[in-house]
Amino acid sequence: MQTPESEKTQPQITQNVNYGNWYLVSVRAKKRDFFLKYLKLAITQNKLEDLIVAIEIPQASVYEDFVLLNLSNFKAARSELQKIENFQSIERQPLNPEQVSRMLGMV
């Protein structure tokens, strides 16, 4: 089965949490789905596939207003994220793989 052309430009959602730098992004309350929609649109329009390597959604309900992003360059990504509607903040330090695995319900 072939991947539709529109999906080829999107970052891959991955279970490989040991690769790259994962950051916790907070979004406005109850607006995560809208943020993800605008984020994917920004990635496509601005060709940010190399900057935002992967997107994960934490499983636990306590993280309902958060998104995990695997970034290749924190500073560049932060300036791009600030332009996206419903973005609130991004943690300055990357998470360790154990924290990411826990948030994704993998442990």
Side-chain angles (χ1 to χ4, degrees):
M1 190 162 102
Q2 289 192 346
T3 305
E5 199 63 35
S6 63
E7 290 181 20
K8 290 181 182 176
T9 60
Q10 302 299 326
Q12 296 297 310
I13 295 179
T14 178
Q15 294 299 321
N16 186 2
V17 300
N18 293 319
Y19 173 76
N21 293 312
W22 289 93
Y23 293 88
L24 188 63
V25 174
S26 66
V27 299
R28 287 198 172 87
K30 311 287 187 202
K31 300 291 185 183
R32 180 168 66 186
D33 290 338
F34 291 112
F35 171 77
L36 289 171
K37 178 181 172 183
Y38 292 124
L39 175 62
K40 290 176 183 177
L41 184 63
I43 290 168
T44 303
Q45 289 179 343
N46 301 325
K47 300 185 182 348
L48 303 176
E49 297 87 359
D50 292 337
L51 186 61
I52 301 173
V53 180
I55 302 168
E56 288 288 350
I57 300 169
Q59 299 302 309
S61 62
V62 296
Y63 299 116
E64 72 178 327
D65 297 325
F66 293 93
V67 176
L68 291 168
L69 297 180
N70 189 333
L71 306 175
S72 61
N73 181 320
F74 173 80
K75 281 188 174 185
R78 189 176 83 198
S79 69
E80 290 295 330
L81 289 169
Q82 289 173 336
K83 300 173 190 174
I84 299 174
E85 193 167 335
N86 298 312
F87 170 81
Q88 288 222 292
S89 65
I90 183 169
E91 293 290 323
R92 293 189 179 277
Q93 295 298 316
L95 300 171
N96 64 46
E98 294 80 25
Q99 290 172 303
V100 177
S101 294
R102 197 173 327 115
M103 289 178 162
L104 296 175
M106 296 172 62
V107 282

